[in-house]
Amino acid sequence: MSRGSEFLVVANRLPVDRIVGADGEPAWRRSPGGLVSAIAPVMRRRHGTWIGWTGAPGEELEPFEEDGMALVPIAQSAEEVELYYEGFSNATLWPLYHDVVAPPVYDRAMWDAYVRVNERFAEAAAKVAGKDAIVWVQDYQLQLVPAMLRKLRPDLRIGFFLHIPFPPLELFWQLPWRRQILEGLLGADLVGFQLPGAAANFVRLCRRLLEARYVRHDVYWDDRIVRARAFPISVDVSELNDLIEREDVLERVQEIRSDLGDATILLGVDRLDYTKGIAQRLQAFGELFGDGDLKPGQAVFVQIATPSRERVEQYQLLREDIEQQVGRINGEYGEIGFPVIHYLHSSYDRAELTALYLAADVMVVTPLRDGMNLVAKEYVACRRDMRGALVLSEFAGAAAELRRGAFQVNPYDIDGLKGTILAALDAEPAEQARRMRSMRRRVIEHDVDRWAREFLSELENPAHPVPVTDPALEG
Ligand code: ADP
Ligand code: G6P
């Protein structure tokens, strides 16, 4: 490994996954999820180094370049993948931080693996980082890295960003290793969250659990000041602007529409995750046929469900449930040539996703809890034509910014969801345009570039005045 990088991103995943290509040869494909979508453009611009895992158990690789980024792979054995990634990260922290919508597993062997793998990431970062470098640690899988890295390399400036919600004290308190996690995060100079409420939860926990002194959102710890701030993440508007102009994308939009018989298209795009409220939205949609509000052939739901964390039990159960539900609804309400739901369990490239966004009359985003939800913002960024409507859960971080333009819903309220879907379907073009304009203003002004700039300038120049809360995000 070469030492001397000025700018480092440390994330569980590299931005590319190891796959076997059509020719049977190993190849790389962009990794799923909002984290990679957000950080990859920033990394390319800064010519930094990205430390992460290839997604394949046991694979040991030398550093390499891909897609304009210098990548340093970190190996994880099959056992570590099971205990650290599928276990502590995705069976303990993920459900705990998402309002315990599934029961978290508390297992000591998983915790031990989490500590061990975090240590490996910290050691790799300590080796690669140049003197006084900026290191930006990402997400819930690596919450111990800031303190571990500071111990190894006190010269570094360390930022941490949590892409998912940070739970209130009452939930976080369940975690047997709550103190270690907080102390891990406090190794950073700046701890970033999606929303001001999450930063407030963190500061409150530091005070109650560690008896740390604090002033507003600054925590005094170990003779340092650790700043907790909100930086709502966003999308790469310029990349999407290029895509919506591409001839092949526009042709694909027409093709999708005609393949679906020119029905009104409702669209869901999610990793197949139990936090996303997929079952609730499909139930509401199905009932609209039962009630006679919709007819087969008149409206169709396209649900893209990206395969995700397929060895974790809750994800397996979810997949069974959703696939049964889709079968049931199609069996009950579909007609020959007119299924009411098209369910696609697959990953797509950016061009295909963009074509889907452009073809969709109503985008349905109904998470039970979500840190931000980039899909909602991607849809808005793509609709330069001012058409389409966004149905958005109150429990998505994005709801704070898109409040005025979205059709907001409580996804637990199926009748409310049905009514809101109908209202979105019925919105006149003038209303669609008014709502879209307001949402687009926010997303275009606050794109991912600005998000990264604001985080990094707060990290690099602590005196830089960044408001603790953005007025648009106040409840
Ligand atoms: P999460 O981070 O929980 O997965 P987000 O909505 O914040 O949810 O981010 C998801 C990201 O993954 C978006 O950038 C979206 O475009 C991308 N994505 C989702 N589904 C697919 C898919 N089937 N193929 C390719 N990219 C996808
Ligand atoms: C969310 C998380 C990311 C994660 C992504 C995909 O966006 O915030 O940290 O990388 O989902 O999940 P996976 O488990 O496949 O990395």
Side-chain angles (χ1 to χ4, degrees):
M1 277 178 209
S2 65
R3 177 154 176 173
S5 287
E6 292 304 305
F7 179 71
L8 252 85
V9 166
V10 186
N12 176 54
R13 266 185 188 281
L14 287 172
V16 286
D17 270 348
R18 189 63 143 174
I19 54 156
V20 177
D23 52 2
E25 292 295 309
W28 296 105
R29 183 183 59 197
R30 175 183 170 137
S31 313
L35 187 157
V36 167
S37 303
I39 310 273
V42 181
M43 266 291 293
R44 268 185 227 106
R45 253 164 264 155
R46 286 222 166 199
H47 304 293
T49 301
W50 186 312
I51 298 182
W53 171 54
T54 62
E59 187 169 56
E60 307 226 4
L61 286 180
E62 290 301 309
F64 62 102
E65 291 252 345
E66 176 74 25
D67 205 8
M69 294 177 273
L71 308 180
V72 177
I74 300 291
Q76 291 179 30
S77 68
E79 192 197 13
E80 285 165 348
V81 172
E82 189 184 330
L83 296 175
Y84 149 79
Y85 167 71
E86 293 162 351
F88 201 77
S89 297
N90 289 312
T92 307
L93 294 171
W94 181 268
L96 177 67
Y97 282 28
H98 286 88
D99 277 3
V100 294
V101 295
V105 175
Y106 298 119
D107 178 298
R108 285 166 289 179
M110 289 180 181
W111 164 253
D112 292 343
Y114 186 79
V115 175
R116 206 163 58 239
V117 176
N118 271 246
E119 250 157 18
R120 186 170 313 141
F121 276 87
E123 281 160 13
K127 266 195 211 147
V128 175
K131 180 142 177 41
D132 300 326
I134 299 283
V135 181
W136 195 2
V137 183
Q138 310 290 328
D139 230 357
Y140 60 100
Q141 304 92 341
L142 300 177
Q143 292 173 98
L144 304 178
V145 168
M148 291 171 168
L149 184 55
R150 178 166 301 281
K151 215 161 156 204
L152 294 168
R153 291 286 306 274
D155 59 302
L156 301 176
R157 197 170 281 279
I158 304 170
F160 178 90
F161 187 79
L162 185 71
H163 292 253
I164 69 174
F166 191 74
L169 184 139
E170 294 72 13
L171 291 180
F172 191 82
W173 216 255
Q174 286 184 11
L175 188 65
W177 306 278
R178 58 200 185 193
R179 173 178 280 273
Q180 290 93 317
I181 294 280
L182 281 190
E183 289 178 355
L185 291 170
L186 285 168
D189 296 290
L190 173 64
V191 185
F193 299 90
Q194 301 280 19
L195 296 180
N201 287 346
F202 173 73
V203 174
R204 189 161 162 243
L205 268 161
C206 290
R207 179 168 63 87
R208 288 284 300 278
L209 196 58
L210 307 177
E211 289 168 20
R213 276 201 317 123
Y214 73 101
V215 175
R216 299 188 70 202
H217 287 166
D218 293 338
V219 180
Y220 292 77
W221 187 249
D222 241 2
D223 299 326
R224 296 181 300 114
I225 297 178
V226 181
R227 283 159 296 134
R229 298 285 187 275
F231 302 90
I233 204 165
S234 193
V235 295
D236 189 349
V237 173
S238 70
E239 181 209 23
L240 294 167
N241 271 339
D242 291 344
L243 281 164
I244 60 177
E245 283 178 359
R246 264 170 50 176
E247 230 17 78
D248 58 328
V249 171
L250 298 173
E251 276 164 22
R252 182 71 189 128
V253 177
Q254 294 314 324
E255 206 172 81
I256 293 170
R257 287 212 180 106
S258 81
D259 284 352
L260 294 172
D262 290 319
T264 301
I265 302 173
L266 294 91
L267 175 67
V269 174
D270 313 78
R271 274 182 310 99
L272 187 46
D273 193 296
Y274 53 80
T275 60
K276 300 290 183 181
I278 299 171
Q280 283 78 356
R281 82 180 67 135
L282 296 183
Q283 184 182 341
F285 183 68
E287 286 187 13
L288 290 173
F289 289 87
D291 298 348
D293 289 310
L294 296 177
K295 306 248 173 307
Q298 176 203 2
V300 66
F301 205 112
V302 178
Q303 177 63 53
I304 310 284
T306 320
S308 185
R309 307 175 191 164
E310 292 188 286
R311 285 163 28 121
V312 179
E313 189 189 2
Q314 291 290 342
Y315 289 76
Q316 292 169 349
L317 295 174
L318 174 79
R319 181 169 177 193
E320 281 167 26
D321 287 351
I322 297 290
E323 294 185 353
Q324 271 186 20
Q325 188 190 18
V326 169
R328 203 169 49 238
I329 294 173
N330 277 335
E332 202 157 333
Y333 304 114
E335 289 176 6
I336 287 177
F338 300 108
V340 296
I341 300 173
H342 287 258
Y343 167 81
L344 300 159
H345 185 241
S346 184
S347 201
Y348 293 94
D349 64 20
R350 307 296 293 162
E352 179 71 5
L353 279 185
T354 305
L356 283 160
Y357 290 143
L358 290 174
D361 299 289
V362 179
M363 182 81 216
V364 190
V365 180
T366 54
L368 306 175
R369 177 60 73 194
D370 208 330
M372 176 53 60
N373 196 287
L374 292 185
V375 164
K377 289 187 173 181
E378 285 168 3
Y379 180 66
V380 168
C382 285
R383 298 315 299 249
R384 198 157 62 185
D385 60 357
M386 300 294 165
R387 298 303 301 269
L390 173 66
V391 171
L392 180 61
S393 164
E394 293 163 359
F395 301 112
E401 292 168 87
L402 306 180
R403 187 189 298 119
R404 274 185 301 164
F407 288 84
Q408 289 221 32
V409 282
N410 168 0
Y412 292 98
D413 171 10
I414 302 295
D415 284 335
L417 192 43
K418 286 161 71 178
T420 310
I421 289 175
L422 285 180
L425 283 168
D426 287 346
E428 296 292 335
E431 184 185 356
Q432 289 181 10
R434 180 180 59 73
R435 287 172 175 267
M436 197 54 85
R437 198 169 293 117
S438 134
M439 293 190 288
R440 284 179 58 78
R441 199 174 304 130
R442 175 75 200 182
V443 173
I444 290 166
E445 280 173 14
H446 293 80
D447 67 353
V448 74
D449 210 21
R450 174 161 173 182
W451 167 77
R453 260 198 332 269
E454 289 189 349
F455 184 96
L456 292 171
S457 87
E458 178 70 5
L459 179 61
E460 285 164 315
N461 173 16
H464 184 80
V466 166
V468 169
T469 55
D470 178 335
L473 301 173
E474 299 280 26

